[in-house]
Amino acid sequence: MHQDKRPSLAFKNNLWKCFACDKGGDAISLVEEKCNLSFVEACTWLCEQYHIYTPSTNLKNTKKRPKLRHRRTLAIDREESRPNFDGDVASAIINLADLEAKGKEFLFTERKLSAQVVEKMKIKSVEDPTEMKEILMNTFGEERLIKCKVLKRDNNKIQLTINIPSLLIPYFDRTGKLVALQSRYLGTNENIPRFKMLCNSRKQLYNMVLLAKLQEGSKLYIMEGITDCLAMLSAGYPAVAIQSATTIPETELDKLSGFDLVMVHDNDKAGVSAFYHLHRSLLRYGCRLKCATIPALFKDYSAYYLYIKK
């Protein structure tokens, strides 16, 4: 690069190839604004952060580049410090469960999802935990089940932590290995959280097994939420999902490189924020994330799916 403060056209073009999105250099603009840096200084900071080789700049009178504090670092550290996922217990829960009446009503009557998709994703439900609890305790023992947060002691009683009634949603990696288990509460008690991760499950992308079946460059939709993903799959489109707008598995995003990525987020502020968060994160892996909007009349893709299914 020349020693003046203007980057050469070739250098600028290379940076745009690395960091640009469909609307232009969002990543560079963000650093310029947040750190009060020039274009070149912002580019240099990005290259240093993501270990991209650049020619020596030797710029005169440049400001000392501040160290930006990555808010995601603490969250990742917390994930890594958590106990390991107990896949044996999670597999047993899925094998012991079936898709019962309330689960079928939610999935097929209320959400009009494809029975083939639900079966393929191995989604089950639990309404009476008595038999499951007894078998799990006889198989794994009380202490192990408490350690992986499937059982809890409450007023000297041992209870399952799965809220009743709930869907049971397994997560698989590209090889088909079970890597997480999530419950989705189907009851009406507003004080009970809708979703819960079981067996010390960590944040994961949902439906990763699909990636092994797609060719490089194939279109892949990223949905905000599991039920939206199931709706998109039921409509016949390839999709994975983040658990929610505020639950983004940063350490999993590199696995999405090589695909034509399109996000369908909810029609709210959190959904828009999730898109820009994902967009900036995926730039590190050379991914260009596009956005597909649904009509403003609908709060999310599931609502839009129900409309088109009428």
Side-chain angles (χ1 to χ4, degrees):
M1 190 193 306
H2 299 297
Q3 291 189 1
D4 62 19
K5 291 189 177 183
R6 293 174 299 173
S8 69
L9 181 59
F11 182 67
K12 183 183 291 187
N13 285 340
N14 286 335
L15 285 166
W16 277 78
K17 288 178 183 178
C18 291
F19 298 112
C21 67
D22 290 339
K23 295 182 179 179
D26 287 4
I28 299 172
S29 298
L30 179 67
V31 176
E32 286 183 285
E33 178 183 351
K34 294 294 183 183
C35 299
N36 192 26
L37 298 178
S38 68
F39 174 82
V40 176
E41 291 166 339
C43 293
T44 304
W45 183 89
L46 283 165
C47 291
E48 289 177 352
Q49 292 295 311
Y50 303 123
H51 309 292
I52 299 172
Y53 170 77
T54 57
S56 176
T57 58
N58 292 323
L59 293 178
K60 296 180 181 179
N61 301 320
T62 56
K63 301 175 184 177
K64 183 179 180 180
R65 290 180 293 275
K67 293 182 179 180
L68 289 189
R69 185 180 174 189
H70 290 270
R71 287 178 291 179
R72 63 177 176 274
T73 302
L74 182 58
I76 293 173
D77 290 344
R78 285 175 180 167
E79 282 287 297
E80 292 175 347
S81 65
R82 292 180 61 180
N84 291 331
F85 170 65
D86 197 324
D88 293 336
V89 174
S91 294
I93 291 172
I94 290 296
N95 291 333
L96 289 169
D98 199 355
L99 187 56
E100 302 182 51
K102 290 184 179 179
K104 290 179 180 178
E105 181 182 3
F106 174 80
L107 294 169
F108 305 137
T109 304
E110 295 180 22
R111 297 303 179 104
K112 302 189 183 304
L113 300 173
S114 162
Q116 289 182 327
V117 168
V118 171
E119 182 179 5
K120 186 176 181 180
M121 306 304 284
K122 300 183 180 180
I123 295 173
K124 307 289 186 66
S125 64
V126 56
E127 296 179 20
D128 182 356
T130 306
E131 183 178 1
M132 177 183 288
K133 172 187 169 184
E134 183 178 348
I135 294 174
L136 289 174
M137 289 184 67
N138 290 336
T139 305
F140 299 103
E142 181 179 312
E143 293 304 318
R144 179 171 176 180
L145 295 173
I146 290 175
K147 184 178 180 181
C148 70
K149 298 181 178 60
V150 170
L151 289 182
K152 65 179 178 179
R153 291 188 180 95
D154 188 8
N155 295 327
N156 296 322
K157 293 182 180 180
I158 299 297
Q159 297 180 341
L160 275 178
T161 59
I162 303 172
N163 298 314
I164 302 300
S166 281
L167 290 179
L168 296 172
I169 304 168
Y171 288 59
F172 301 95
D173 67 10
R174 291 182 65 144
T175 68
K177 177 183 176 181
L178 181 66
V179 292
L181 181 62
Q182 184 180 33
S183 64
R184 201 272 189 199
Y185 178 58
L186 298 176
T188 58
N189 188 338
E190 295 182 356
N191 295 321
I192 294 178
R194 184 177 299 175
F195 291 97
K196 179 184 290 187
M197 300 305 292
L198 305 173
C199 303
N200 296 325
S201 296
R202 303 187 183 196
K203 291 185 289 187
Q204 302 281 348
L205 287 167
Y206 181 69
N207 196 26
M208 293 297 283
V209 70
L210 173 67
L211 303 189
K213 303 174 184 178
L214 294 180
Q215 293 183 346
E216 185 174 354
S218 297
K219 180 163 289 187
L220 178 63
Y221 292 94
I222 303 176
M223 310 304 293
E224 184 189 332
I226 307 305
T227 49
D228 282 0
C229 183
L230 295 173
M232 183 65 84
L233 292 170
S234 296
Y237 299 100
V240 297
I242 57 175
Q243 292 167 16
S244 71
T246 57
T247 309
I248 298 176
E250 299 283 350
T251 57
E252 295 285 296
L253 298 182
D254 63 312
K255 298 172 184 176
L256 298 178
S257 62
F259 298 102
D260 181 11
L261 302 176
V262 181
M263 185 178 183
V264 184
H265 60 75
D266 291 357
N267 273 331
D268 56 20
K269 185 177 179 180
V272 174
S273 295
F275 167 74
Y276 283 110
H277 183 144
L278 266 178
H279 166 69
R280 291 192 296 269
S281 296
L282 286 166
L283 285 172
R284 289 178 289 168
Y285 308 110
C287 299
R288 298 162 61 103
L289 180 63
K290 291 177 281 188
C291 179
T293 58
I294 54 178
L297 178 65
F298 305 100
K299 68 183 182 67
D300 55 25
Y301 182 79
S302 291
Y304 178 64
Y305 171 78
L306 287 174
Y307 173 77
I308 63 178
K309 285 290 288 184
K310 289 181 180 180

